[in-house]
Amino acid sequence: MRAAFELFTVQGYEGTTVDDITAAAGVSRRTFFRYFPSKEDVIFPDHDSVLDRVRWYLGASANTEPVFAVAEAARLIFESFVATPEQTLARYRLTREVAVLRDREVASVARYERVLSDYLRSRLPKTSEAALAAHVAAASFVAAHNQVLREWLRSGGATDPHPALDVALTTVADLITPLIARSSRQSSQSTV
Amino acid sequence: MRAAFELFTVQGYEGTTVDDITAAAGVSRRTFFRYFPSKEDVIFPDHDSVLDRVRWYLGASANTEPVFAVAEAARLIFESFVATPEQTLARYRLTREVAVLRDREVASVARYERVLSDYLRSRLPKTSEAALAAHVAAASFVAAHNQVLREWLRSGGATDPHPALDVALTTVADLITPLIARSSRQSSQSTV
DNA sequence: TGATGTCTGTCACTCAGTGCCACTATGGTT
DNA sequence: AACCATAGTGGCACTGAGTGACAGACATCA
């Protein structure tokens, strides 16, 4: 991974072959593909584990307030990026330039969003209003997360991003809570 | 494209080589790659043109109410999918099964979202509050759009999706409008 | 000493995608 | 009629990602 990042920043992503990486790392080509399913995956090593952690967290928060749980899940994702600033920054620089990597990043963000909306849907009545609310809520939290993260990355990771994250998450929570509450009530309303 | 879709549905995406497609279509391999930058692009032919149309629409709506304009832009995207139901349905079935294609779809949705949020940011003061509002708003509209589209596709494209789209867009518009209004005022507030 | 399992390297192969060159058909020019 | 420009196409060779099969190295345990 270290060899790959160094080569990517010098030669660019497309300008670096897997052979280059393995030669620099002193392993064989075959070994590389045993540890990374594809060349792109060298850059996104821990997305799966974070996704699992988020799933686990949400699975354990069946009794907490749904909107709060989702906000905390977003915070969890955020922390996983902030925990390794150099790596996150290097990845950010690469994903800005290389379209394939940006698409990959976007895809993994979409997976986070999916996990959040699935959780919300599981906590809400099975109406189309609730489904809409769940998707909008998940998308809003992810958007807030992304916005704060991007701003932080653009600043070079210098400042403490947590105050901004708090503001963003509470803003979205305040926005979303009534929508979720309304869609939860919807079912009891139809029963009445 | 027709040959490709037929082969994809029979043999699967990964099970179909470009050679298969070109043989079925009666053209050479080289010709294929002149029309489609990659194998994936056979399935997403008109995303770029739709994106351009949305950009154009938003570029022309500098005087309309921003939230309304974004909602209409989302409707524009929606219409582009509904206009060709068979193709959209076939694509939907493929993207559900093949991860590469799903990621590709997600990436193009992200581009739509980007266009919407860029527009909103251009219509709002240059504060971080406004930037957050813009991203959340764009994400919410896209989420609403996606939700209605998915529901429609799951139903097999049988019902008329427009009533559901109207509901979803107005729901999001009602939700988002105060947020946008607040972030617009923010700048004049700081002047006071 | 032998059996087992894990990690690694080598080799050969498929397939996506690109660059280069040659061929053909068409339409317009003199 | 001969001449040219140009757009579309095919052929060919090449790079590079990714995979499957096999064999050797090494540590562990019996």
Side-chain angles (χ1 to χ4, degrees), chain B residues 26-46:
Chain B
V27 293
S28 84
R29 183 183 158 62
R30 198 65 190 82
T31 299
F32 176 91
F33 281 110
R34 266 191 261 269
Y35 285 88
F36 308 103
S38 80
K39 186 180 160 188
E40 302 171 7
D41 286 289
V42 194
I43 305 177
F44 308 103
D46 47 3

Side-chain angles (χ1 to χ4, degrees), chain A residues 2-192:
Chain A
R2 193 150 29 85
F5 265 96
E6 282 168 8
L7 286 169
F8 287 164
T9 50
V10 175
Q11 311 178 3
Y13 178 78
E14 330 249 48
T16 307
T17 68
V18 175
D19 282 328
D20 293 340
I21 301 170
T22 56
V27 292
S28 85
R29 185 182 158 63
R30 199 64 188 81
T31 300
F32 175 91
F33 281 110
R34 267 191 260 269
Y35 285 88
F36 308 103
S38 81
K39 186 182 162 188
E40 302 171 8
D41 286 289
V42 195
I43 306 177
F44 308 102
D46 48 3
H47 268 172
D48 282 350
S49 69
V50 175
L51 202 62
D52 283 342
R53 221 176 312 156
V54 172
R55 274 204 203 91
W56 182 89
Y57 173 78
L58 289 177
S61 48
N63 295 321
T64 55
E65 209 276 308
V67 175
F68 176 78
V70 170
E72 286 306 298
R75 192 186 298 275
L76 214 59
I77 299 167
F78 191 85
E79 292 307 328
S80 79
F81 287 110
V82 178
T84 56
E86 338 72 37
Q87 196 182 338
T88 305
L89 268 165
R91 186 164 54 196
Y92 172 66
R93 285 186 212 106
L94 280 173
T95 49
R96 256 193 333 189
E97 287 161 7
V98 185
V100 191
L101 299 179
R102 189 167 46 243
D103 288 0
R104 180 64 182 261
E105 179 91 64
V106 164
S108 72
V109 169
R111 271 185 266 280
Y112 290 131
E113 186 174 326
R114 178 81 200 279
V115 170
L116 298 189
S117 69
D118 279 354
Y119 167 76
L120 278 176
R121 287 227 323 264
S122 77
R123 298 290 310 270
L124 294 175
K126 304 281 168 277
T127 64
S128 66
E129 288 87 354
L132 177 66
H135 279 106
V136 169
S140 295
F141 276 114
V142 167
H145 162 280
N146 282 344
Q147 164 64 5
V148 176
L149 188 63
R150 255 195 311 268
E151 204 103 344
W152 179 67
L153 289 169
R154 257 197 288 270
S155 83
T159 58
D160 178 20
H162 292 98
L165 182 66
D166 289 342
V167 171
L169 290 183
T170 54
T171 301
V172 171
D174 290 347
L175 182 77
I176 289 298
T177 300
L179 179 71
I180 295 288
R182 209 182 320 142
S183 74
S184 313
R185 239 175 293 128
Q186 209 91 12
S187 70
S188 60
Q189 205 174 42
S190 70
T191 321
V192 173

